């Protein structure tokens, strides 16, 4: 229970004698030796308690006249405290991309700091939190620097210029170490976005290269002569990719694909017809070919619906698992003669 006559000098809430913060307004409470030098007390002349919110004559002073903090009026530290808390909130919102968490004041502590008569101790607490947060952010930036430079090394192997991004990484790290976390995070986002775009362009070119080479290989396996030897084509396209000639490479891939599709349109229907006849012949000899016929139909459908790579991949897989028609036909004829 609160001791008799012990009240918060700010809001008048009764408090226990050993409390150091008011449970209602979170204001720091004076210690037992903080009696006014002129002998006055927190009681009025008639012995009653002062009304809530009434300030004592010596509020904010210690014995000897040294002022420990502002009175009920605005504090010169309140503005700095608000700025620092806002900066921590901004850091916390932006460091999620770095994969880290930074410490922050609980909501009750923020309220106590904002309403305290003397918020300077709270400002020192916030400064300590800032130092811890900055250390974690700088460590995260150092790890990001290592990862991003590895990504840039891969891009540079394909003649993608990344000198600007390397300079910006150094700038971001230096800025973070100097304490300008907001600017460092802005540079981080810019570098990460640009590097991701360059990687996407490179990956798309690599995927298109591999698809067209795979198409040429499948044509050769199915007995349709490709417009260019797959092995030689792969070497030439890889050389252009590593030289960084992405625009010229894409044009060459498109032209090569058009030639391949043109030859397939002229020769693939005959292949599908012959393979279908072969499956029918096997079925007449008692060999189950329902699944193979379905795969043949799916491959033909993919090709004629504008997905030649997928269609040829199905047909090649069917041929590899079920066999080349000429070889299987001889096997079926041998079985029938026994």
């Amino acid at each position: 229970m609160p001791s008799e006559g012990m009240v918060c000098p700010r809001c008048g809430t009764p408090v226990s004698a050993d409390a150091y913060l008011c449970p209602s307004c979170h204001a720091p409470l004076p210690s037992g030796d903080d009696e006014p030098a002129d002998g006055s007390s927190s009681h009025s002349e008639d012995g009653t308690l002062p009304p809530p919110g009434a300030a004592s004559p010596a509020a904010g002073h210690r014995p000897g006249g040294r002022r420990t903090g502002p009175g009920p009026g605005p504090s010169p530290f309140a503005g700095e405290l608000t700025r620092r808390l806002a900066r921590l909130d901004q850091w916390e919102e932006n460091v999620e991309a770095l994969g880290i968490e930074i410490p922050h004041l609980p909501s009750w502590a923020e309220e106590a700091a904002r309403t305290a008569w003397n918020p300077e101790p709270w400002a020192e607490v916030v400064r300590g939190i800032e130092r811890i947060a900055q250390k974690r952010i700088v460590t995260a930036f150092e790890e990001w620097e290592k990862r991003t430079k590895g990504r840039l090394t891969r891009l540079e192997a394909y003649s993608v210029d990344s000198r600007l991004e390397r300079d910006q990484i150094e700038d971001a790290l230096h800025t973070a170490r100097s304490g300008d976390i907001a600017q460092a995070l802005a540079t981080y986002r810019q570098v990460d976005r640009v590097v991701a775009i360059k990687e996407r362009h490179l990956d798309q070119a690599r995927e298109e290269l591999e698809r067209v080479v795979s198409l040429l290989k499948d044509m050769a396996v199915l007995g349709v002569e490709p417009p260019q030897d797959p092995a030689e084509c792969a070497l030439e396209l890889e050389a252009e990719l590593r030289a960084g000639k992405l625009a010229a490479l894409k044009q060459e891939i498109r032209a090569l694909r058009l030639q391949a599709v043109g030859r397939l349109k002229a020769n693939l229907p005959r292949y599908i017809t012959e393979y279908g006849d072969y499956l029918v012949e096997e079925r007449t000899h008692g060999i189950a070919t329902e699944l193979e016929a379905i795969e043949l139909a799916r491959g033909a459908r993919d090709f004629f619906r504008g997905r030649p790579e997928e269609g040829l991949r199905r047909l090649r897989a069917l041929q590899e698992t079920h066999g080349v028609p000429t070889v299987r036909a001889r096997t079926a004829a041998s079985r029938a003669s026994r």
Side-chain angles (χ1 to χ4, degrees):
M1 295 292 293
S3 301
E4 182 179 358
M6 187 66 176
V7 296
C8 172
R10 181 179 182 193
C11 66
T13 302
V15 296
S16 60
D18 57 349
Y20 64 92
L21 283 179
C22 174
S24 178
C25 68
H26 303 293
L29 299 173
S31 58
D33 58 354
D34 286 344
E35 289 294 330
D38 59 359
S40 62
S41 68
S42 60
H43 291 71
S44 62
E45 293 182 357
D46 59 358
T48 60
L49 294 176
S56 62
H61 290 75
R62 287 190 179 274
R66 182 170 64 86
R67 189 168 182 83
T68 61
S75 164
F77 302 103
E80 178 190 359
L81 182 64
T82 300
R83 288 192 298 271
R84 290 182 176 275
L85 289 174
R87 181 163 57 182
L88 278 174
D89 290 340
Q90 184 186 39
W91 291 1
E92 188 174 11
E93 292 175 359
N94 288 278
V95 297
E96 293 181 358
L98 290 170
I100 63 170
E101 294 182 359
I102 60 175
H104 61 277
L105 279 179
S107 57
W108 68 266
E110 283 195 25
E111 180 64 23
R114 294 181 191 278
T115 58
W117 279 13
N118 180 19
E120 185 177 11
W122 287 106
E124 182 57 36
V125 171
V126 175
R127 284 192 286 268
I129 292 177
E130 281 183 336
R131 287 191 291 269
I132 296 173
Q134 182 179 354
K135 184 177 180 180
R136 291 186 184 179
I137 293 173
V138 169
T139 301
F141 266 104
E142 292 171 347
E143 294 298 323
W144 168 72
E145 177 192 24
K146 295 177 184 177
R147 294 193 306 269
T148 307
K149 284 187 174 180
R151 296 165 64 188
L152 293 179
T153 299
R154 174 178 176 260
L155 290 173
E156 290 163 352
Y158 291 90
S159 302
V160 179
D161 187 14
S162 60
R163 289 172 295 179
L164 177 60
E165 287 73 37
R166 286 189 178 274
D167 291 342
Q168 289 176 324
I169 290 173
E170 297 297 332
D171 291 342
L173 192 57
H174 174 75
T175 306
R177 287 170 176 162
S178 65
D180 192 352
I181 304 299
Q183 180 59 42
L185 288 169
T187 305
Y188 155 79
R189 287 192 295 270
Q190 180 181 354
V191 172
D192 212 47
R193 181 174 62 253
V194 171
V195 173
I197 291 173
K198 291 183 175 181
E199 286 178 328
R200 184 165 63 250
H201 288 167
L202 177 61
D203 292 340
Q204 288 175 349
R206 161 68 62 187
E207 182 180 355
E208 291 176 10
L209 185 157
E210 293 176 350
R211 283 171 64 88
V212 75
V213 171
S214 177
L215 179 64
L216 299 181
K217 290 180 179 179
D218 291 343
M219 290 178 65
V221 170
L222 297 179
V224 180
E225 184 179 359
Q228 189 173 344
D229 179 78
E232 294 179 0
C233 177
L235 292 176
E236 292 177 5
L237 297 179
E238 181 69 24
E240 290 193 13
L241 181 62
R242 290 193 173 274
K245 302 176 182 178
L246 297 186
L249 174 66
K250 290 183 178 181
Q251 289 181 357
E252 185 172 350
I253 289 175
R254 282 195 294 268
L256 193 59
R257 187 175 183 273
L258 285 174
Q259 294 177 24
V261 171
R263 292 196 180 186
L264 286 168
K265 286 182 178 179
N267 295 278
L268 195 62
R270 179 173 54 84
Y271 173 86
I272 293 173
T273 301
E274 290 178 355
Y275 209 98
D277 293 341
Y278 157 63
L279 293 178
V280 171
E281 182 182 356
E282 283 202 325
R283 187 175 180 180
T284 60
H285 290 87
I287 302 175
T289 58
E290 288 81 1
L291 296 178
E292 288 78 3
I294 292 174
E295 281 301 301
L296 180 65
R298 287 175 176 173
R301 180 189 59 192
D302 287 341
F303 178 80
F304 290 108
R305 288 186 177 180
R307 300 189 297 270
E309 292 86 359
E310 289 78 0
L312 261 66
R313 192 175 302 116
R314 285 184 179 276
L315 296 177
R316 178 176 178 174
L318 172 62
Q319 180 173 295
E320 289 176 347
T321 57
H322 195 68
V324 181
T326 55
V327 176
R328 293 300 298 267
R330 287 196 298 268
T331 304
S334 175
R335 289 177 181 174
S337 62
R338 291 177 183 177

